[in-house]
Amino acid sequence: MVLRRTSARARLAGLGVADVAAADRVLDRVDAAGTVAAHLGLAADPDLALRSLERVVAAAGRGADELVASVAEDPELARRLVVVLGASAGLADHLVRHPDDWRELADPLLDRVRPTPGALADTLGRAAGRDALRREYRRLLLRLAARDLGLSLAVEDAAAELSDLAAAALGAALGIARAEVGAQADEVRLAVVALGKCGGHELNYVSDVDVLFVAEPVGSTAEPAALAAGTALAATLIRVCSDHTGEGALWPVDAALRPEGAAGPLVRTLGGYATYYERWAKTWEFQALLKARPVAGDSSLGQRFVELVEPLVWSAADRPGFVADVQAMRRRVVDNIPPPQALRQLKLGPGGLRDVEFAVQLLQLVHGRGDASLRSPNTLAALAALTAGGYVGREDGAALADAYRFLRTLEHRLQLSRLRRTHLLPTDAASLRALGRSVGLTTEPADQLADAWAGHAREVRRLHEKLFYRPLLAAVAALPGDQARLSPAAAASRLAALGYLDPTAALQHLEALTAGVSRRAAIQRSLLPVMLGWFAAAPAPDAGLLAFRQLSDALGSTHWYLGLLRDESLVAERLAGLLATSRYAVDLLLRAPEAMALLGRDDDLQPRPGEMLQGEIAAAAGRHACGVEAVAAIRALRRRELFRVAAADLLGLADVAAVGEALTTLAGACLAGALAAATGAVEGRYGGPLPARLAIVALGRLGGHELAYGSDADVLFVHDPVPGAGEEAAARAATAVAGELIRLLAAPGPEPALVVDAGLRPEGRQGPLVRSLASYAAYYARWSRPWEAQALLRAEPLAGDVELGERFVELVDPVRYPVGGLSADELTEVRRLKARVDAERLPRGADPATHLKFGRGGLADVEWTAQLLQLRYAAADARLRTTSTLAALGGAQDAGLLTAQQEGVLSNAWRLATRLRNASMLVKGRPSDALPSSAADLRALAYVCGYPLGEVGRLEEDYRRAARRASTVVQDVFWS
């Protein structure tokens, strides 16, 4: 028995119950058949569901037994009770006041038949008085919530039914008001016109219902008397709905959107409305009238009102400053949100419901003048029409619709909880957990909810800025150069709203790009409205627009460029993002603009295999007899390939390891091609074949396949005399080839140089540039120091004579993987040298906590730790014999030299530091080993690394934490 009870309680905990003992007690009393327990996993808050069920059973009095028996016999009733009571304390309160209403949830037709507007109106119209109206309304709301929470109702269908329910309640309230006003009510025809969400058939569970009242005299009644009667009716209707009684209130009826707002008359005639809207109405009033819909009272009068305002609504965009007014209103709404609430506001905050609605409404009002298909008052229907008509891209439309549905669902669940009007996400864990469960998130509800909300908010904000400003930007970009100064202040403020720091300069670029009647100007005018938004979504929109102008000036009349920009929207979008993010990419493109064609397909941005690169480089170099020209061709190809890698990196198509591998492969192919060109040049001076074979051996990051954008190519040159050739002659020829290769690759020119560094050779820069294999063998046998063995850990044949390179590696294996590992003296020397590096190589004034290379837990710390383990143990364990840092760390874990946690910490720190170094080069166009101090650079760096633009601080926090943890492991492994 105890085991069974323990098992049952464990099952309850697994269903999400927090207070298992209390739940067990309630279930013993009301759930003998187990039908309630079977559905607890569906409840947003299982504990709340059980507490509320206990309250309802207690309130049922003599009917409690029938309720409990019905729940036991009807699993569907049990399910509905659980989901409703577990999500809404407000509806639970209603059932406690009216316990017989549980029978509504036992209706077998509940999920099958949606009540029509007429049926709702008939049901509520029979309510005799205010309390009866409230009770009937909540009884119908209970039925709707059961279907909605059971996930059998789409959010737009729930909103439409809520709107119909509100319209029916307004009709019933008007009937009650007529009875209370008495005979005076017979002097007027009154129409109630819904605006806002009710007008658009998208009402929330608890929301203000925005209305206008239209009155006309009956018979010979004078207009003043009719208006007085209409005002009495309207005021009474508002009180019928809004006043608190023993049954609470329905919702506030808000007439503040009427002409002149709260200061204006509550009721007007059709003529009064016509005069006002034609002479004095502001832009926002026409935006509000977009959703006008007759919902109660005299339907023909309400329809005449809609017909009156419809042409005014769809010509509003012709008003001077219309677009700016709409955008300014949206900005004012955002600016007035209390800062602590901004990131929790589902409705008004950035990325919230208003961003979707304002973007859709602005596009409707601009394009709906000539396209009647866009004139729906419903946001989702209008968005679908905009997407179908091509005004919004299909992917953007789908993403916006998905986000809107998600946000509206959250809003519904929040308001259902206590039947209170709210749009703020809760902050406590329990409420977040319940909210997450209410929308179907069950694994880690609070975390999943936070991630989903953040993701949708980011997408909505991005699309809002892209779509909301598109009509504005189209107008600005379409202005010919000699007319752009007609309203420079307005245009500048619009660009500033998008995030341009120098709107005046931006306007000058727009003038230059769109001036004239050429084909180029026409295409630019169609492109710039979209591209300006894409620039604004990246860290440096001003720089992006300037770079686009520079690129267009160079290629604007080129036929492929025009066609590419016109027909390949993905190329244009990606190009805009790169130009407004990466100085490195801009520099590459300005010299190789044809490379932008790579942006059209993900496959074209994948790194190319080494064999393919070497073949193309050999062919390009082979077309030139002169070594300088041959290497210039190699460097030009390298520029294109660097752009391929950088673009893939910036677009998130290549991770750190893939970037390092691609840059290494590219450097190897270029060195191979340059070696052939240098050999040819020296052979020309020699007048025939050289007396030496030459191989290039990679060291450092090049040998480890971990090259960064700003890395030099660390190499050793090894030669071997051909049979019959003398050692001295072979050495001279090999040295001449190596020197020529270095000179050609480093020569000043328009193409990026590849710096070849042979400083890690024996005796350093004081030793010969090239040695024979025998000379290397003699040196390492007699003079090798631990630091040289450490450098050789990354030695790998790269180019030249393959057999000679492999023989060199065989030669140095015993040096870099010493049998027996390091002696005590050698271990001390390695650590002493690391301490010296730590003391001398960190730049003066640099912060050790944020220096990526020589700071605590930085690249040097991780790499030296991996290399020390290799020097000590690789001779005995082949898993450590690798040139890659990450592979060495993985081998050390496999060998039991590092725990999984230590390996993960070191690898994570290394990847992050390497990613940040690469990102810094991409952003600034020059290498850097420290996190930038400039806020703009740090913002761009965070963006490149995948952080949202508003979360720059997270980047530094994440790196400091990763480096701090790595430093602890280094202390334990390297220094202990």
Side-chain angles (χ1 to χ4, degrees):
M1 185 66 180
V2 173
L3 286 175
R4 190 180 308 123
R5 176 65 61 126
T6 302
S7 175
R9 290 190 172 185
R11 180 169 176 270
L12 288 175
L15 293 172
V17 174
D19 191 343
V20 174
D24 200 29
R25 175 179 54 77
V26 174
L27 290 171
D28 277 347
R29 293 180 56 194
V30 303
D31 191 36
T35 52
V36 171
H39 294 100
L40 281 177
L42 302 176
D45 185 340
D47 297 271
L48 174 63
L50 291 174
R51 289 197 305 271
S52 298
L53 180 59
E54 185 178 33
R55 291 175 60 212
V56 174
V57 170
R62 294 178 180 177
D65 290 343
E66 181 186 0
L67 170 57
V68 172
S70 297
V71 167
E73 296 168 2
D74 186 352
E76 186 60 20
L77 170 61
R79 182 189 67 81
R80 291 169 181 167
L81 274 170
V82 165
V83 296
V84 169
L85 297 177
S88 178
L91 288 175
D93 290 342
H94 171 79
L95 283 173
V96 168
R97 287 195 303 272
H98 306 287
D100 285 347
D101 280 0
W102 66 262
R103 301 177 194 281
E104 300 296 328
L105 302 182
D107 184 352
L109 299 179
L110 182 63
D111 288 327
R112 303 178 196 172
V113 180
R114 173 180 171 177
T116 64
L120 293 172
D122 289 344
T123 300
L124 292 180
R126 292 192 292 269
R130 301 185 183 193
D131 281 346
L133 174 60
R134 284 156 173 71
R135 176 177 177 181
E136 283 300 297
Y137 178 87
R138 291 206 174 82
R139 182 180 65 80
L140 294 170
L141 195 70
L142 175 68
R143 295 175 64 90
L144 170 58
R147 288 183 288 126
D148 187 8
L149 291 166
L151 305 180
S152 62
L153 200 62
V155 65
E156 54 264 46
D157 294 332
E161 191 169 329
L162 284 165
S163 302
D164 291 338
L165 185 55
L170 286 169
L174 181 58
I176 294 171
R178 283 191 175 278
E180 292 184 8
V181 170
Q184 186 185 12
D186 297 333
E187 298 177 353
V188 65
R189 296 165 55 208
L190 187 71
V192 183
V193 177
L195 303 176
K197 291 188 180 301
C198 187
H201 262 108
E202 49 196 15
L203 198 64
N204 301 326
Y205 275 93
V206 185
S207 178
D208 292 356
V209 176
D210 297 308
V211 299
L212 294 176
F213 296 103
V214 188
E216 289 292 328
V218 171
S220 59
T221 303
E223 185 173 298
L227 288 174
T231 300
L233 266 180
T236 305
L237 179 151
I238 291 173
R239 290 194 298 272
V240 168
C241 295
S242 305
D243 284 354
H244 281 270
T245 72
E247 292 288 340
L250 287 180
W251 14 253
V253 175
D254 190 347
L257 294 178
R258 66 185 184 269
E260 302 175 79
L266 184 61
V267 177
R268 290 178 188 252
T269 63
L270 277 176
Y273 279 111
T275 300
Y276 176 85
Y277 288 132
E278 289 170 0
R279 299 180 61 181
W280 294 301
K282 296 181 175 60
T283 297
W284 67 264
E285 293 178 276
F286 294 107
Q287 186 178 355
L289 288 170
L290 189 154
K291 294 182 180 291
R293 176 172 71 97
V295 291
D298 192 303
S299 58
S300 63
L301 179 59
Q303 187 58 40
R304 286 169 57 201
F305 173 84
V306 171
E307 292 168 358
L308 166 71
V309 300
E310 186 173 16
L312 300 176
V313 169
W314 298 113
S315 62
D318 296 329
R319 295 161 61 94
F322 167 78
V323 174
D325 287 346
V326 175
Q327 293 169 343
M329 182 167 65
R330 174 61 187 137
R331 289 195 295 273
R332 283 196 298 272
V333 170
V334 174
D335 291 343
N336 288 329
I337 301 171
Q341 296 183 5
L343 296 180
R344 298 168 50 217
Q345 256 283 0
L346 289 173
K347 180 179 179 181
L348 303 178
L353 291 162
R354 276 291 187 268
D355 271 355
V356 180
E357 292 161 355
F358 266 68
V360 169
Q361 289 165 23
L362 182 55
L363 290 173
Q364 280 184 277
L365 291 167
V366 170
H367 299 297
R369 293 171 291 178
D371 189 345
S373 70
L374 306 180
R375 298 180 181 179
S376 171
N378 181 273
T379 300
L380 285 172
L383 179 57
L386 286 164
T387 304
Y391 302 99
V392 176
R394 283 189 290 269
E395 290 185 2
D396 290 348
L400 212 56
D402 286 346
Y404 189 72
R405 288 186 176 95
F406 177 80
L407 296 176
R408 287 302 308 276
T409 301
L410 281 187
E411 186 180 44
H412 281 189
R413 299 298 187 262
L414 277 173
Q415 295 181 349
L416 260 178
S417 177
R418 296 191 177 278
L419 292 184
R420 293 177 185 170
R421 183 173 181 266
T422 180
H423 309 284
L424 280 178
L425 283 176
T427 55
D428 63 287
S431 297
L432 286 170
R433 177 175 176 271
L435 185 60
R437 286 175 60 96
S438 76
V439 294
L441 306 174
T442 56
T443 306
E444 293 289 342
D447 292 341
Q448 287 178 287
L449 177 66
D451 291 344
W453 154 240
H456 282 300
R458 282 195 301 269
E459 186 71 357
V460 166
R461 192 59 185 168
R462 180 183 73 82
L463 292 172
H464 167 80
E465 291 177 353
K466 174 180 177 180
L467 299 174
F468 189 56
Y469 292 100
R470 182 185 290 174
L472 159 67
L473 296 174
V476 174
L479 287 174
D482 59 350
Q483 296 181 24
R485 292 180 179 82
L486 289 175
S487 56
S493 67
R494 296 167 191 173
L495 287 165
L498 271 176
Y500 288 82
L501 300 179
D502 190 349
T504 303
L507 281 173
Q508 292 172 355
H509 298 321
L510 292 176
E511 291 173 6
L513 287 163
T514 61
V517 294
S518 66
R519 180 177 177 81
R520 166 191 167 179
I523 292 179
Q524 296 287 27
R525 281 195 291 269
S526 67
L527 275 170
L528 280 166
V530 180
M531 294 196 71
L532 285 170
W534 289 332
F535 292 143
D542 299 81
L545 180 55
L546 171 61
F548 182 67
R549 178 182 175 182
Q550 293 170 333
L551 202 58
S552 297
D553 287 346
L555 285 175
S557 59
T558 306
H559 71 281
W560 67 262
Y561 174 65
L562 294 172
L564 186 68
L565 293 180
R566 181 193 62 220
D567 300 330
E568 297 287 344
S569 61
L570 182 60
V571 173
E573 182 175 5
R574 286 177 165 178
L575 177 65
L578 298 185
L579 296 181
T581 301
S582 172
R583 184 70 244 176
Y584 185 76
V586 170
D587 290 343
L588 293 172
L589 266 182
L590 289 176
R591 285 290 302 171
E594 69 280 357
M596 76 174 66
L598 300 173
L599 300 174
R601 295 187 335 120
D602 288 357
D603 288 348
D604 290 339
L605 292 173
Q606 296 305 308
R608 304 175 76 192
E611 298 80 3
M612 184 182 294
L613 282 175
Q614 289 180 17
E616 186 175 3
I617 284 173
R623 289 191 285 269
H624 303 277
C626 170
V628 172
E629 294 177 355
V631 172
I634 292 171
R635 287 169 60 173
L637 281 172
R638 178 170 175 262
R639 174 183 285 275
R640 183 199 65 196
E641 294 306 312
L642 285 173
F643 177 77
R644 190 194 306 272
V645 177
D649 193 356
L650 288 161
L651 294 171
L653 301 176
D655 61 14
V656 167
V659 169
E661 186 68 45
L663 293 174
T664 300
T665 301
L666 176 58
C670 290
L671 284 168
L675 178 60
T679 301
V682 174
E683 283 180 338
R685 297 199 292 267
Y686 269 69
L690 300 181
R693 297 183 298 152
L694 185 66
I696 301 176
V697 177
L699 297 177
R701 294 192 172 277
L702 182 62
H705 294 244
E706 300 162 351
L707 212 61
Y709 294 106
S711 297
D712 294 345
D714 293 313
V715 300
L716 293 177
F717 294 100
V718 56
H719 80 86
D720 199 31
V722 300
E727 176 73 31
E728 186 175 344
R732 282 198 304 270
T735 300
V737 171
E740 180 72 359
L741 179 148
I742 293 172
R743 183 185 72 80
L744 289 172
L745 285 174
E751 307 299 343
L754 175 58
V755 179
V756 178
D757 188 347
L760 293 176
R761 63 187 183 267
E763 302 177 74
R765 301 189 187 281
Q766 305 305 316
L769 179 61
V770 184
R771 288 177 182 262
S772 68
L773 194 64
S775 175
Y776 276 112
Y779 176 85
Y780 289 131
R782 295 187 60 190
W783 307 108
S784 177
R785 302 291 300 276
W787 72 264
E788 291 176 298
Q790 185 177 352
L792 289 171
L793 286 169
R794 296 188 179 190
E796 181 177 89
L798 184 72
D801 191 286
V802 175
E803 188 268 342
L804 179 58
E806 292 174 348
R807 287 171 59 200
F808 177 86
V809 169
E810 292 173 2
L811 167 69
V812 301
D813 272 353
V815 179
R816 59 181 175 175
Y817 307 138
V819 175
L822 297 176
S823 67
D825 289 343
E826 288 170 332
L827 180 59
T828 299
E829 183 176 347
V830 172
R831 289 174 172 161
R832 184 181 297 117
L833 183 58
K834 177 64 169 67
R836 182 178 171 187
V837 167
D838 289 347
E840 298 178 1
R841 299 292 296 277
L842 185 69
R844 180 176 298 177
D847 183 355
T850 58
H851 197 274
L852 304 172
K853 186 172 183 180
F854 296 114
R856 293 187 294 270
L859 291 169
D861 269 3
V862 177
E863 290 166 358
W864 279 67
T865 300
Q867 291 159 16
L868 182 63
L869 293 173
Q870 289 179 287
L871 289 170
R872 297 182 70 181
Y873 303 110
D877 196 324
R879 288 173 290 188
L880 293 167
R881 297 175 201 165
T882 175
T883 61
S884 162
T885 301
L886 293 178
L889 292 172
Q893 180 194 337
D894 292 341
L897 303 173
L898 292 174
T899 67
Q901 189 268 343
Q902 289 174 323
E903 187 276 336
V905 166
L906 294 176
S907 295
N908 177 61
W910 188 91
R911 286 191 184 92
L912 183 54
T914 301
R915 178 75 177 109
L916 290 170
R917 286 182 88 204
N918 281 341
S920 185
M921 182 69 170
L922 290 171
V923 167
K924 298 189 291 185
R926 59 182 187 276
S928 174
D929 287 331
L931 289 181
S933 56
S934 159
D937 286 344
L938 191 60
R939 181 170 180 261
L941 191 68
Y943 179 82
V944 170
C945 291
Y947 292 83
L949 285 176
E951 299 182 16
V952 175
R954 278 181 51 202
L955 168 67
E956 188 169 351
E957 291 172 9
D958 287 352
Y959 177 72
R960 285 178 179 271
R961 180 167 53 251
R964 187 168 60 249
R965 291 174 176 173
S967 180
T968 300
V969 176
V970 170
Q971 188 67 35
D972 291 342
V973 176
F974 184 88
W975 295 106
S976 64

